[in-house]
Amino acid sequence: MSIVTEPTHPENAQTADLVEGLRAAVRGSVDDSSRRRAEYSTDASNYRVVPQVVVFPRDTDDVLAALEVARAAGVPVTSRGGGTSVAGNAIGTGVVIDLSRHVNRVLEIDPEARTARVEPGVILTDLQKAAAPHGLRFGPDPSTQARATLGGMIGNNACGPRAVAYGRTADNVVDLDVIDGLGRRFIAGRGLDPVPGLDALVRANMETLRTELGRFGRQVSGYSLEHLLPENGADLAKALVGTEGTVVTVLGATVNLVPVPAAPVLVVLGYPDMASAADVVPALLAHAPLAIEGIDARLVDVVRRAQGASAVPTLPAGGGWLMVEVGGATLDEALERAHALAADAGTDAVGIFPPGADAAAMWRIRADGAGLAGRTASGAQAWPGFEDSAVPPARLGAYLRELEALMASHGVDGLAYGHFGDGCVHLRLDIPLERSGNPLRAFMTDAAHLVASHGGSLSGEHGDGRARSELLPVMYSPAAIGAFEAFKDLFDPRDLLNPGVLVRPRPLDADLRRPHARPLLAAPTGFAFAHDAGDFTTAVHRCVGVGKCRSDTSAADGFMCPSYLATRDEKDSTRGRARVLQEMANGTLVTRGWSSPEVHEALDLCLGCKACSSDCPAGVDMAQYKSEVLHRTYRRRLRPVGHYVLGWLPRWIRLVTAVPGLAWLANTALGVRPIAKVVLAVGGMDTRRSMVTFASTPFRTAWKRGSQPST
Ligand SMILES: Cc1cc2nc3c(=O)[nH]c(=O)nc-3n(C[C@H](O)[C@H](O)[C@H](O)COP(=O)(O)OP(=O)(O)OC[C@H]3O[C@@H](n4cnc5c(N)ncnc54)[C@H](O)[C@@H]3O)c2cc1C
Ligand code: SF4
């Protein structure tokens, strides 16, 4: 069944001209339907910004064409990869360009130089697969690596567990093929010449760049202008990493690769709580581990509760664990290093996991952390915002204790985990967002002061986006903020590239999604939504956008989401569907409630397989939501004919086989191709498929007689 969604705003002449201009210039699809705009109205953040139009360029020329049209029209552009940004970095009002759909090739792997050339939409695991035959991989590995793109990683300066060994994305970039807000395309590498005025900016701000920026590894907030200093090689490519699409659009990248460790061994260390675990980190760093991750025991409990005790390997005792990975040329060498590290870990609660199913299960739990932490231990919904703060690792224990006290003083809770080896803490908090952004603003402001007092960074790897840009003055002097603005203006003086982010920011409580959603209370004859306070709106806001439904998890026995894997279209992902349902609850873009065509189009290809109900770490159950939508739409109303043709198939079969000779008659009629085509079309099926034939003897009857049913 296919329902066509009308473009919603032809009345807006400026949008109509823009869309027309884009369609004339771009070979890929240009979609301004309300359903599509709903799907791209948010990323994995708290924010909602509805774009005017979404463009899916076919190749680099298409990207350039789309940018040219937007520049000529003076319309903002937001580049987007997997859309897994957690701070509202990948949403915008004007044109959203999705580079993940087509501009996603690994162009070259050079095993000698240990480099790769990629297009921006390449998913990290695809690059890893291409590099693996050469014994190589890209170093940084965000937990979202199965759907995050290299363009998005460059945009956010992504890190991940192994950044403690291999550095951030900025440390692994050789050069970037970019185009700025003025339409100037250049290769950014070492040297400031491509951008007139950049050298003067660096010379005018030497002192600020040397003292305020690059103080520790996870100082990801703000622009990383320290890379432009002469002693750091005046590296423009590295300085452009982490600029969140606000100064250039990345068209291609050359990145470094590192050797794949031979036999990494996982050591799990138990401590009474997360802060005690953090205290040990500096001692463990001396063992040069590949990763040091912290994880709250209560997060692991969530997995046990949801998937059963067998989903979690036997772990040492503790309220907080460190997951430490060590490498070696051989398994024996790695095991030896694991035992040496455990001896320095200040705990007897030690588990050592060589490569295998148990280690893989632990890493899976860690990777699902953000989705699992979407609920607190008490089951309340928890939100990002302060989800990736970082301090120098030596300050981590003290910082965590004060952060816990701050949370208590605001009456909020959350489950912590993160890249403790780099001092980076992931945390989602049950700040009430249902009514207003005030509680978020209050907590964020206090927390910003706390992290700054430890010499830390508001963001340790996700970037500032809309959540933290406003708070940069807590961390930086007016001189540094002035240098950021001057840097932006050299590349994008008209503020067309991802405006509202980093420089001249939107308020952190503007554009919040949740406060603008209306409750849709459970109906007496529908589902109770007991786990979501009886509110369909709360249920669909379980989707926080982590995007696991955009990954192919079949190798790890995952099934979600078969329809997305078939079409690779956000529309057919669990996340895309949840976004459209969230917009239905909002009611300003998707306006016709349960019977909105956008909603039915989004749910059309959902198979109702319930894979998401078990595989989605946030507990989204789209099959249930689809049943509720269909029930609310059609209760006491006529359904589309296709529902009766297919939905009533068991009834038709009983009827046809109950009357002797009717099966023969039906088969004869349906054997006539034109008749079969009409029936298929009416049933909403592809008319090219073959028609079923009815058995002359029902299966049950044949079974009772002890014979095989006839066909
Ligand atoms: C569950 C979860 C776990 C996460 N774990 C980690 C982690 O371990 N480590 C980590 O670092 N991050 C993590 N993240 C954050 C996020 O996944 C990463 O930042 C990731 O690299 C973003 O990639 P993306 O393709 O989704 O980018 P998007 O979200 O689409 O975009 C990211 C930014 O880059 C810009 N951008 C995208 N493409 C381009 C381009 N071609 N040119 C210029 N700008 C561009 C966008 O405008 C945006 O500002 C996590 C997020 C979630 C939801
Ligand atoms: S129930 Fe629907 S949305 Fe969920 S995994 Fe299956 S097809 Fe995807």
Side-chain angles (χ1 to χ4, degrees):
M1 180 174 43
S2 170
I3 303 163
V4 178
T5 311
E6 291 295 322
T8 49
H9 44 96
E11 73 284 357
N12 182 335
Q14 192 252 2
T15 298
D17 287 351
L18 174 70
V19 170
E20 200 181 310
L22 286 166
R23 290 206 172 116
V26 173
R27 282 172 297 117
S29 98
V30 173
D31 194 339
D32 69 328
S33 69
S34 44
R35 196 214 69 235
R36 183 65 86 192
R37 293 163 64 220
E39 288 154 16
Y40 282 78
S41 61
T42 184
D43 41 22
S45 70
N46 297 330
Y47 296 91
R48 167 187 182 266
V49 179
V50 180
Q52 281 173 284
V53 56
V54 183
V55 177
F56 300 89
R58 290 241 145 241
D59 52 25
T60 306
D61 286 345
D62 251 8
V63 181
L64 295 172
L67 289 169
E68 196 175 329
V69 172
R71 263 196 320 277
V75 172
V77 171
T78 302
S79 305
R80 177 152 163 148
T84 64
S85 284
V86 196
N89 330 34
I91 47 178
T93 50
V95 182
V96 167
I97 303 184
D98 181 339
L99 293 134
S100 68
R101 191 108 193 254
H102 304 297
V103 195
N104 56 15
R105 289 175 306 160
V106 176
L107 299 172
E108 185 190 359
I109 302 279
D110 183 340
E112 299 293 308
R114 289 189 178 166
T115 56
R117 251 180 354 102
V118 296
E119 291 184 329
V122 169
I123 292 176
L124 177 56
T125 45
D126 290 342
L127 172 59
Q128 307 293 40
K129 271 183 220 150
H134 308 285
L136 298 171
R137 52 165 281 172
F138 187 66
D141 55 351
S143 307
T144 42
Q145 57 183 296
R147 61 268 191 199
T149 63
L150 265 291
M153 291 179 64
I154 291 164
N156 286 350
N157 195 6
C159 302
R162 273 84 185 186
V164 76
Y166 305 124
R168 308 152 297 182
T169 298
D171 304 311
N172 291 276
V173 159
V174 180
D175 60 45
L176 300 175
D177 178 3
V178 297
I179 176 166
D180 70 9
L182 290 167
R184 296 175 301 198
R185 183 176 178 181
F186 53 89
I187 301 292
R190 286 181 170 235
L192 310 182
D193 291 348
V195 184
L198 193 51
D199 186 47
L201 184 147
V202 174
R203 275 189 280 111
N205 292 280
M206 285 279 189
E207 185 63 23
T208 307
L209 270 49
R210 284 190 173 130
T211 53
E212 290 196 45
L213 303 182
R215 289 177 290 103
F216 75 109
R218 290 301 188 101
Q219 190 180 343
V220 165
S221 276
Y223 290 136
S224 298
L225 302 187
E226 73 277 11
H227 295 298
L228 301 174
L229 288 165
E231 63 269 33
N232 294 335
D235 200 322
L236 179 54
K238 289 192 191 334
L240 290 176
V241 176
T243 53
E244 302 180 32
T246 60
V247 293
V248 291
T249 303
V250 177
L251 305 167
T254 307
V255 296
N256 284 318
L257 302 173
V258 295
V260 177
V265 168
L266 176 66
V267 186
V268 180
L269 305 163
Y271 300 91
D273 51 47
M274 296 298 281
S276 319
D279 289 335
V280 185
V281 165
L284 300 184
L285 283 171
H287 291 262
L290 298 173
I292 305 185
E293 298 290 293
I295 187 161
D296 191 313
R298 293 175 298 166
L299 262 178
V300 180
D301 284 342
V302 176
V303 181
R304 283 200 192 94
R305 274 201 304 276
Q307 295 169 21
S310 60
V312 180
T314 307
L315 294 173
W321 287 293
L322 290 179
M323 293 172 54
V324 190
E325 190 177 71
V326 290
T330 61
L331 180 57
D332 283 346
E333 191 183 315
L335 283 169
E336 200 176 306
R337 295 183 67 189
H339 285 287
L341 179 135
D344 267 359
T347 177
D348 295 331
V350 177
I352 293 187
F353 300 89
D358 282 350
M362 281 309 291
W363 281 116
R364 238 184 347 262
I365 292 170
R366 167 59 196 86
D368 282 346
L372 299 170
R375 298 265 151 176
T376 64
S378 67
Q381 176 124 29
W383 304 98
F386 200 68
E387 83 287 340
D388 69 322
S389 63
V391 295
R395 306 293 295 263
L396 187 59
Y399 170 62
L400 278 179
R401 287 182 184 94
E402 288 177 40
L403 186 57
E404 269 186 28
L406 183 70
M407 285 158 57
S409 74
H410 280 261
V412 295
D413 191 16
L415 303 177
Y417 62 101
H419 314 298
F420 277 26
D422 278 328
C424 181
V425 183
H426 289 321
L427 187 64
R428 283 174 187 248
L429 295 165
D430 59 354
I431 293 175
L433 275 187
E434 285 75 11
R435 274 183 286 283
S436 92
N438 294 345
L440 180 72
R441 168 172 288 283
F443 180 83
M444 291 287 293
T445 307
D446 286 351
H449 284 281
L450 174 64
V451 74
S453 75
H454 283 271
S457 179
L458 288 159
S459 169
E461 66 176 12
H462 295 166
D464 296 311
R466 285 156 198 274
R468 295 175 281 268
S469 299
E470 183 203 330
L471 296 170
L472 288 176
V474 177
M475 218 182 123
Y476 290 115
S477 68
I481 300 289
F484 294 160
E485 284 171 3
F487 180 72
K488 160 94 174 173
D489 290 345
L490 285 179
F491 295 81
D492 181 34
R494 293 168 67 202
D495 216 358
L496 292 181
L497 297 181
N498 214 1
V501 169
L502 278 159
V503 163
R504 295 180 281 277
R506 290 280 290 162
L508 71 88
D509 48 2
D511 312 316
L512 288 169
R513 182 173 71 250
R514 189 62 182 92
H516 299 287
R518 303 161 306 171
L520 290 166
L521 298 181
T525 52
F527 285 106
F529 296 105
H531 294 298
D532 296 297
D535 182 6
F536 184 79
T537 298
T538 304
V540 295
H541 278 86
R542 273 177 180 267
C543 178
V544 285
V546 300
K548 193 176 174 191
C549 48
R550 281 177 59 108
S551 318
D552 183 352
T553 55
S554 46
D557 294 334
F559 294 98
M560 173 178 71
C561 168
S563 53
Y564 175 76
L565 290 181
T567 66
R568 304 277 170 183
D569 186 337
E570 180 80 22
K571 158 185 174 289
D572 300 315
S573 68
T574 310
R575 180 176 78 172
R577 292 176 177 128
R579 294 317 190 199
V580 176
L581 291 171
Q582 289 171 5
E583 281 303 314
M584 178 185 96
N586 174 290
T588 55
L589 177 66
V590 173
T591 52
R592 287 169 55 194
W594 300 100
S595 44
S596 301
E598 296 90 339
V599 168
H600 289 266
E601 195 173 352
L603 293 173
D604 186 30
L605 291 190
C606 169
L607 308 170
C609 67
K610 284 188 96 71
C612 46
S613 70
S614 58
D615 289 4
C616 169
V620 170
D621 183 352
M622 195 52 66
Q624 186 192 32
Y625 307 163
K626 180 173 180 176
S627 300
E628 183 72 12
V629 167
L630 293 177
H631 173 65
R632 299 265 199 138
T633 309
Y634 295 119
R635 191 164 171 255
R636 301 208 183 98
R637 288 199 192 95
L638 264 186
R639 286 169 172 263
V641 182
H643 290 204
Y644 297 106
V645 173
L646 272 186
W648 279 12
L649 204 51
R651 293 183 198 192
W652 298 131
I653 293 172
R654 271 201 300 278
L655 176 74
V656 168
T657 53
V659 182
L662 201 53
W664 175 85
L665 201 64
N667 288 339
T668 308
L670 294 173
V672 179
R673 197 60 201 154
I675 298 178
K677 279 190 169 185
V678 171
V679 173
L680 288 166
V682 170
M685 290 166 274
D686 192 320
T687 53
R688 289 167 301 181
R689 60 159 301 149
S690 59
M691 182 46 91
V692 289
T693 49
F694 294 99
S696 54
T697 313
F699 180 83
R700 278 203 191 89
T701 314
W703 185 260
K704 277 181 199 148
R705 285 184 199 146
S707 62
Q708 290 300 309
S710 62
T711 54

